[in-house]
Amino acid sequence: EVVLHYRPHQRDLIELQKFAEAAVKDFPIRQLPRFTPWFPNDLCRLPLKPKKQPPVISSEEAEELKQRSSPSEYITGSPNYDCTKNLLEFQSNVNHGQTLIQTQNVHRPVNLENQGEPPPNGKQKLKRSWSVSVHSPKLKEKILPLSQELQNSLERLKLHAFYRAKWTIEQSTCNNQNLEDVWIKLNRLIKQNELPSCNATIQRSVGEIWIFCDILYCEYVRNILREKLSLTDKMNLLVHKFGIIFSL
C-alpha cells in the first residue's frame, strides 16, 4: 500500500503516478565480495580480549527486572500516522505562493497576576504569541541612514547591518497602558507593513514584548514604536551573544 501526499497545486495525475512508481521501484542489487577477515579466523585466539569477564546475573534477578519493566516503556509507531496533518501547505484552502501570517491569541485578554491559576474552562491559556511581518519594498524611501553612534558600535563589535537585534517593551515603558493593549496595537502595525523585517512575540510569563528586526531598520522601528504605541523611557537594543549595543 502506497500513500502519496501532494500539494493542492500539484494535480497532474500522470506526474504523480510516475513519482509513486519511481518511489517503489526496486533498488539495484550488487553482489558483495566474500568477506575475508584481516586476522586469523580462530575464535579461540582472538587478537583482542577484554581484561575482565562480562557480568553475570542470576535467573531470579532477570525475572525481577522483567517484572519491574512496564509496558509503557515500549513505544510503537501508529500505522495511521499522517505527517502532513498540521502542515498548512497541504491544506486545500491555502493558495500556492500565499504569504502566511500567523497571529495567535491576539485579542484574548490575559491577567498577568493570575497566571499560576488554572483557567475556569479547563483549557490552558497561551503564554506566548507570535506576529510576523511580510516584505514591503515601499518603506525603503522613508528609512534614514543609521546614526553615527550606532555605526561606531557596529564597527567596534564587527557586526553587519543585517544582524538580527531585539527591542524589549516592558510594562514600565507602556505609559500607563496594559501590555495586552500594546500587543494588539503592535500586531496591527506589523499587519499593515509599517515595521520592516520585524517579527514580534509577547512573553506573558515575564511580562515583556520582544520585537526582532534587522539592525539596518532598528532606529526606524524604534521611532515608529515610540510614535504609534506612545512608549516612554529609553529602550535597549540587544544582539545575541553581544548584549546591549545601543539605547534609544
Side-chain angles (χ1 to χ4, degrees):
E1 180 182 357
V2 177
V3 179
L4 178 63
H5 299 279
Y6 61 92
R7 296 175 176 85
H9 65 278
Q10 297 173 332
R11 297 182 178 274
D12 191 342
L13 299 181
I14 298 177
E15 291 295 329
L16 293 175
Q17 183 178 354
K18 291 181 180 180
F19 186 82
E21 290 176 352
V24 298
K25 186 178 179 180
D26 293 337
F27 289 98
I29 300 176
R30 179 173 62 90
Q31 188 67 29
L32 297 178
R34 181 181 176 83
F35 174 73
T36 304
W38 57 91
F39 54 85
N41 190 13
D42 187 358
L43 298 179
C44 299
R45 294 184 302 170
L46 293 177
L48 298 176
K49 290 184 179 181
K51 290 184 178 181
K52 298 181 180 180
Q53 294 293 329
V56 179
I57 62 173
S58 63
S59 57
E60 292 81 4
E61 292 174 331
E63 186 65 25
E64 182 180 355
L65 292 175
K66 185 177 180 180
Q67 293 177 357
R68 290 182 180 179
S69 300
S70 60
S72 61
E73 295 178 1
Y74 306 97
I75 302 175
T76 57
S78 172
N80 298 324
Y81 171 70
D82 185 1
C83 61
T84 65
K85 182 178 180 181
N86 296 321
L87 296 180
L88 294 178
E89 60 178 321
F90 285 92
Q91 296 180 7
S92 58
N93 58 349
V94 178
N95 296 328
H96 178 55
Q98 179 183 1
T99 303
L100 301 177
I101 305 176
Q102 293 179 316
T103 305
Q104 297 176 321
N105 200 27
V106 174
H107 300 287
R108 182 184 302 175
V110 176
N111 189 354
L112 298 177
E113 298 178 356
N114 301 326
Q115 289 211 352
E117 301 176 5
N121 57 359
K123 296 182 180 180
Q124 184 178 4
K125 293 182 179 179
L126 194 63
K127 301 294 184 182
R128 180 176 64 180
S129 298
W130 279 94
S131 183
V132 183
S133 67
V134 295
H135 178 69
S136 177
K138 299 180 181 179
L139 294 173
K140 292 184 178 180
E141 301 176 357
K142 301 180 181 180
I143 298 174
L144 301 176
L146 296 178
S147 64
Q148 189 62 43
E149 180 183 356
L150 182 55
Q151 291 183 26
N152 295 338
S153 181
L154 296 182
E155 293 177 2
R156 177 173 51 85
L157 300 173
K158 297 181 180 180
L159 290 176
H160 195 274
F162 285 101
Y163 260 82
R164 297 294 283 178
K166 179 181 74 172
W167 293 110
T168 302
I169 299 178
E170 302 176 358
Q171 186 62 52
S172 59
T173 63
C174 290
N175 194 16
N176 297 327
Q177 302 177 87
N178 185 278
L179 195 67
E180 290 292 332
D181 296 335
V182 174
W183 172 244
I184 293 174
K185 295 178 183 178
L186 176 62
N187 275 274
R188 191 177 299 117
L189 293 177
I190 292 180
K191 284 185 177 181
Q192 295 172 354
N193 297 334
E194 296 193 37
L195 300 177
S197 78
C198 279
N199 58 298
T201 174
I202 178 172
Q203 303 281 342
R204 294 184 173 90
S205 58
V206 295
E208 294 179 350
I209 297 176
W210 298 347
I211 300 101
F212 300 90
C213 64
D214 295 341
I215 297 180
L216 181 64
Y217 309 114
C218 67
E219 291 178 312
Y220 175 83
V221 169
R222 171 60 178 124
N223 292 332
I224 293 295
L225 294 177
R226 179 192 290 115
E227 177 185 354
K228 301 292 186 178
L229 303 182
S230 302
L231 301 179
T232 60
D233 298 335
K234 280 190 174 182
M235 290 174 58
N236 296 323
L237 184 70
L238 292 91
V239 175
H240 182 58
K241 295 184 179 180
F242 292 91
I244 300 175
I245 65 168
F246 185 64
S247 297
L248 185 63

